[in-house]
Amino acid sequence: MYDPFAPGPFSVGERSFEALDRTRRRMFPCHVWHPVEAGDYPLIIFSHHSGGNRRSSTFLCRHLCGHGYVVAALDHSEMIAPELARKEGMSLEERNARMEAIVASRVPDVHFLMDHLLNEWDAEARIDPAAIGIVGHSFGGWTALAAPAADPRLGAVVALAPGGSSNPKPGIIRAKLDFRWGREVPTLILAAENDTPLPLEGMFDIFERAPEPKRMAILRRADHLHFVDDVEQRHEESRLAPLTGQEWDWIAKEMLPMAELCSGDQAHLFIRGLTVCHMDAALKRREEARRFFAGGIEAELASRGVDAIMQGP
């Protein structure tokens, strides 16, 4: 029986390396999760959140790999390029220019990683160039939704609590989405009911503007950091972080204690299963995955102790 929530049948291998973008003179630390078994597999790019790194959501990358995907991630430009680093005493104009440069680097980072893997990857787990998807969290979710407009190779998107709403809150990266994809790109948005920095109304704004075919699932009693590794620790560290006098200090003040939210295990099950199911339907064109979505996802999740709401067909 088809079960995207259960561990997949493939053994997971991992490889770390550095890749040089000669055009931009940037050396990117990269990590790839790949099936050990020989064969042709779809490629999924993972894009991390602002302040994160290529290994921010290994729980998801390993699960996708176990279900027969090569999954690749890099540390985005703002993490490795000296010219994009935050500097003391920057003027408002300089801060705005820096942020614009960071936003402008994100999609080229994805394009570079795809090019590098399609040209340089050498393993028995071969990449199918006709089946490529992207998953991203937060700023990485914005990246996942922005990239298909610039790269026609991308055929499926999963955006986890994505940025890009029309009216972001203070301190949140302002990055626009125009959805000028020019083709159908099956899209799944996974949102958190109690997301503090990127509230649910922003998720509905993005969902309403995204082109068909699309779905959105909302995880009840979850916040923004339910999409990363070590949920309980990361959430409480952020909630209890000392105030810095910055415009985003309101985030820590408004976060609910972890005890009032769903567990990291529940969140990870929700994210892993729905992401695999979406990619199986969109990239592998598995009919059983399509039927799984149509067969009552809310009840299926509830039977596994996860409270969620589905939007879309």
Side-chain angles (χ1 to χ4, degrees):
M1 184 177 293
Y2 179 71
D3 186 358
F5 299 97
F10 296 92
S11 302
V12 177
E14 300 188 35
R15 185 185 299 182
S16 291
F17 56 90
E18 291 186 327
L20 175 62
D21 183 343
R22 290 182 172 82
T23 301
R24 296 184 292 169
R25 299 181 181 180
R26 294 175 185 172
M27 183 70 79
F28 290 95
C30 305
H31 197 87
V32 176
W33 296 261
H34 60 89
V36 172
E37 296 81 357
D40 295 321
Y41 301 96
L43 170 65
I44 295 178
I45 303 296
F46 179 80
S47 177
H48 65 74
H49 63 285
S50 177
N53 60 62
R54 63 196 183 280
R55 295 182 60 84
S56 289
S57 298
T58 63
F59 78 92
L60 176 57
C61 296
R62 289 183 60 84
H63 189 75
L64 282 162
C65 180
H67 280 265
Y69 294 89
V70 174
V71 185
L74 51 63
D75 286 359
H76 275 288
S77 285
E78 70 268 19
M79 305 303 295
I80 57 99
E83 65 270 24
L84 297 180
R86 183 184 289 110
K87 300 177 179 64
E88 292 295 328
M90 296 178 74
S91 67
L92 178 59
E93 183 179 73
E94 289 171 330
R95 292 200 303 270
N96 290 339
R98 171 179 173 267
M99 190 51 62
E100 288 176 5
I102 288 173
V103 171
S105 290
R106 276 279 175 145
V107 172
D109 291 351
V110 169
H111 184 89
F112 166 74
L113 183 56
M114 282 192 288
D115 281 351
H116 180 83
L117 291 169
L118 292 175
N119 292 324
E120 304 293 336
W121 180 251
D122 182 18
E124 291 186 347
R126 298 177 298 273
I127 292 171
D128 180 356
I132 304 177
I134 185 167
V135 179
H137 170 229
S138 192
F139 192 16
W142 173 86
T143 306
L145 292 168
D151 201 315
R153 294 173 293 184
L154 290 168
V157 170
V158 177
L160 313 175
S165 69
S166 301
N167 189 29
K169 299 187 79 171
I172 301 303
I173 295 171
R174 293 183 174 271
K176 297 180 180 179
L177 291 168
D178 57 26
F179 294 107
R180 294 177 183 174
W181 295 349
R183 66 196 187 283
E184 285 193 355
V185 181
T187 299
L188 173 66
I189 295 173
L190 299 183
E193 181 184 36
N194 302 100
D195 196 319
T196 307
L198 299 179
L200 200 52
E201 56 263 32
M203 299 301 106
F204 278 104
D205 168 69
I206 293 169
F207 181 65
E208 289 167 2
R209 292 189 288 121
E212 298 283 356
K214 60 186 177 182
R215 290 187 178 93
M216 181 165 72
I218 302 166
L219 179 61
R220 305 292 301 272
R221 299 187 303 110
D223 205 333
H224 198 64
L225 292 174
H226 277 72
F227 297 89
V228 301
D229 292 342
D230 304 318
V231 172
E232 285 82 0
Q233 178 181 341
R234 291 291 312 282
H235 179 88
E236 287 301 291
E237 285 176 349
S238 295
R239 186 177 72 86
L240 300 174
L243 301 182
T244 62
Q246 301 292 334
E247 59 182 338
W248 55 77
D249 276 352
W250 58 270
I251 296 175
K253 295 177 182 177
E254 294 184 11
M255 292 174 72
L256 294 174
M258 192 67 210
E260 298 181 25
L261 300 170
C262 73
S263 71
D265 287 344
Q266 290 169 316
H268 286 182
L269 186 144
F270 166 84
I271 297 157
R272 289 194 306 255
L274 295 190
T275 300
V276 164
C277 192
H278 180 76
M279 292 300 182
D280 281 352
L283 296 182
K284 295 184 178 180
R285 304 186 186 282
R286 294 183 63 175
E287 186 58 36
E288 59 267 48
R290 295 173 181 173
R291 289 198 300 267
F292 197 84
F293 261 120
I297 287 290
E298 291 181 10
E300 180 68 33
L301 287 165
S303 72
R304 299 168 185 265
V306 178
D307 189 2
I309 303 170
M310 287 295 303
Q311 301 286 325

